[in-house]
């Protein structure tokens, strides 16, 4: 009679207890920790996330732990897809029109000096190529004189740059280049550079006409009786003239050694066939100087330039 209660308790515990329901989650929790295969946790995490919401937070831990063993495709593809997406925002394309204006001007001068006129010709603006329809015309005109002066320069030529006319030609820059030859005679040249639709720098190279009259004529220095063409009469302001019949002028600027254009005041003196301009501030430094004039038209992007060497014989 004493054994009957024990049997009865065993039967009752086998029939009425709910322990099998506890065994199911215990085996699912033990399998990832006991078994090392890395391909099975991926399948088991899908079953847990779909059946038990509470176990979702526990599943990423076993999937993160077995990263060291080489897994199939899922673990290796994750970092490769993330790297390009994180790198793309930092890979910005170069800004259009990038490049310093002085560097572009120096590149053009270096090409001419080295005799690589083909590359220099390729830097011309579309408007300049109207003047120079082919490379031969380009080589036979003003570039030939510039190339000769650079080759015979006694020292390092000086290069300066200033704005052409900000009101209508905000990106255009006037470049002046001057120096002395082996005999000590000064020379000077000028051209312009500007951005073409904000995409690239181009060169506006003025042409030296083989026949006819230059549109701009330097009067002082220039046409001075008893004086060299580069000597300035200190008793008179620096003066130049622009022909009227060669097109409208919206803005005319001039500078000495390409200094601040705003401080160089021009006085217009119209005449029958031309307009003369007096440069009020005609102070020159010792040694060679360059006086550069530029003019633009409102409906024309081309920047016209002209330069002359200038020295004061009294210094």
């Amino acid at each position: 009679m004493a054994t009957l209660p024990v049997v009865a308790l065993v039967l009752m515990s086998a029939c009425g207890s709910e322990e099998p329901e506890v065994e199911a989650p215990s085996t699912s929790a033990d399998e990832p920790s006991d078994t090392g295969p890395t391909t099975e946790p991926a399948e088991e995490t899908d079953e847990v996330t779909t059946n038990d919401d509470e176990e979702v937070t526990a599943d990423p831990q076993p999937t993160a732990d077995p990263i060291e063993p080489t897994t199939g495709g899922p673990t290796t593809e994750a970092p490769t897809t993330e790297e390009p997406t994180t790198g793309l925002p930092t890979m910005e394309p170069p800004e259009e029109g990038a490049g310093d204006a002085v560097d572009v001007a120096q590149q053009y001068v270096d090409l001419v000096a080295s005799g690589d006129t083909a590359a220099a010709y390729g830097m011309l603006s579309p408007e300049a190529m109207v003047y120079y329809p082919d490379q031969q015309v380009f080589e036979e005109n003003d570039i030939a004189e510039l190339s000769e002066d650079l080759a015979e320069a006694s020292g390092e030529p000086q290069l300066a740059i200033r704005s052409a006319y900000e009101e209508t030609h905000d990106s255009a820059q006037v470049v002046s280049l001057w120096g002395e030859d082996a005999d000590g005679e000064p020379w000077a040249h000028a051209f312009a550079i500007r951005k073409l639709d904000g995409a690239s720098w181009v060169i506006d190279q003025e042409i030296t006409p083989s026949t006819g009259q230059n549109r701009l004529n330097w009067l002082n220095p220039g046409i001075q009786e008893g004086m060299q063409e580069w000597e300035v009469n200190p008793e008179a302001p620096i003066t130049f003239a622009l022909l009227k019949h060669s097109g409208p002028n919206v803005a005319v600027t001039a500078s000495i050694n390409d200094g601040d254009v705003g401080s160089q005041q021009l006085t217009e003196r119209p005449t029958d066939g031309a307009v003369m301009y007096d440069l009020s501030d005609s102070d020159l430094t010792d040694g060679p100087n360059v006086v550069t004039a530029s003019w633009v038209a409102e409906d024309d992007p081309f920047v016209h330039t002209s330069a002359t060497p200038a020295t004061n014989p009294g210094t």
Side-chain angles (χ1 to χ4, degrees):
M1 295 297 291
T3 59
L4 289 176
V6 174
V7 174
L9 290 174
V10 173
L11 292 176
M12 290 177 61
S13 61
C15 297
S17 65
E18 296 180 355
E19 291 181 359
E21 295 180 1
V22 179
E23 292 177 357
S26 63
T27 55
S28 62
D30 294 336
E31 288 178 359
S33 59
D34 294 338
T35 58
T38 56
T39 55
E40 293 180 2
E43 296 178 358
E44 293 178 359
T45 52
D46 293 338
E47 294 177 0
V48 174
T49 52
T50 54
N51 295 331
D52 297 330
D53 295 335
E54 295 179 355
E55 298 293 333
V56 174
T57 56
D59 291 337
Q61 295 178 356
T63 56
D65 292 336
I67 289 180
E68 294 181 357
T70 56
T71 58
T75 55
T76 55
E77 290 178 359
T80 56
T81 54
E82 290 178 359
E83 288 179 359
T85 54
T86 55
L88 285 176
T90 60
M91 298 173 59
E92 297 180 357
E95 182 183 355
E96 290 187 349
D100 185 77
V102 177
D103 293 340
V104 175
Q106 188 65 58
Q107 178 186 0
Y108 179 71
V109 172
D110 292 342
L111 290 173
V112 175
S114 65
D116 192 355
T117 53
Y121 180 77
M123 296 182 68
L124 295 181
S125 66
E127 293 79 11
M129 287 189 176
V130 175
Y131 292 123
Y132 305 98
D134 55 52
Q135 184 178 334
Q136 182 178 358
V137 177
F138 179 67
E139 293 174 349
E140 292 176 352
N141 285 271
D142 195 53
I143 297 305
E145 184 179 353
L146 173 59
S147 179
E148 181 180 356
D149 287 338
L150 290 172
E152 298 179 357
S154 59
E156 187 69 23
Q158 300 185 62
L159 186 146
I161 190 170
R162 66 166 171 84
S163 174
Y165 191 66
E166 295 180 355
E167 282 77 359
T168 59
H169 295 64
D170 56 351
S171 72
Q173 304 290 313
V174 176
V175 181
S176 296
L177 187 71
W178 71 100
E180 291 181 317
D181 61 16
D183 297 329
E185 294 185 358
W187 53 264
H189 297 273
F191 58 91
I193 64 173
R194 56 184 169 86
K195 288 182 180 179
L196 183 63
D197 297 332
S200 60
W201 288 100
V202 293
I203 307 295
D204 283 342
Q205 178 67 62
E206 194 71 85
I207 193 170
T208 301
S210 56
T211 60
Q213 191 176 13
N214 289 331
R215 185 176 181 189
L216 186 144
N217 292 310
W218 291 98
L219 305 177
N220 181 29
I223 305 174
Q224 295 287 321
E225 186 176 352
M227 304 181 72
Q228 297 282 2
E229 61 180 4
W230 60 81
E231 292 180 346
V232 173
N233 181 2
E235 303 298 327
I238 292 177
T239 307
F240 61 91
L242 270 175
L243 299 178
K244 284 182 178 180
H245 58 75
S246 298
N249 303 318
V250 168
V252 180
T253 59
S255 61
I256 299 174
N257 299 334
D258 262 6
D260 186 7
V261 179
S263 63
Q264 308 294 334
Q265 299 296 325
L266 289 177
T267 302
E268 296 185 14
R269 292 191 289 140
T271 60
D272 292 338
V275 179
M276 290 193 298
Y277 295 87
D278 292 345
L279 191 60
S280 58
D281 185 4
S282 300
D283 293 336
L284 302 176
T285 61
D286 294 340
N289 296 265
V290 60
V291 185
T292 306
S294 62
W295 61 100
V296 296
E298 186 175 8
D299 58 348
D300 185 4
F302 191 90
V303 179
H304 301 270
T305 59
S306 180
T308 182
T311 60
N312 189 341
T315 58

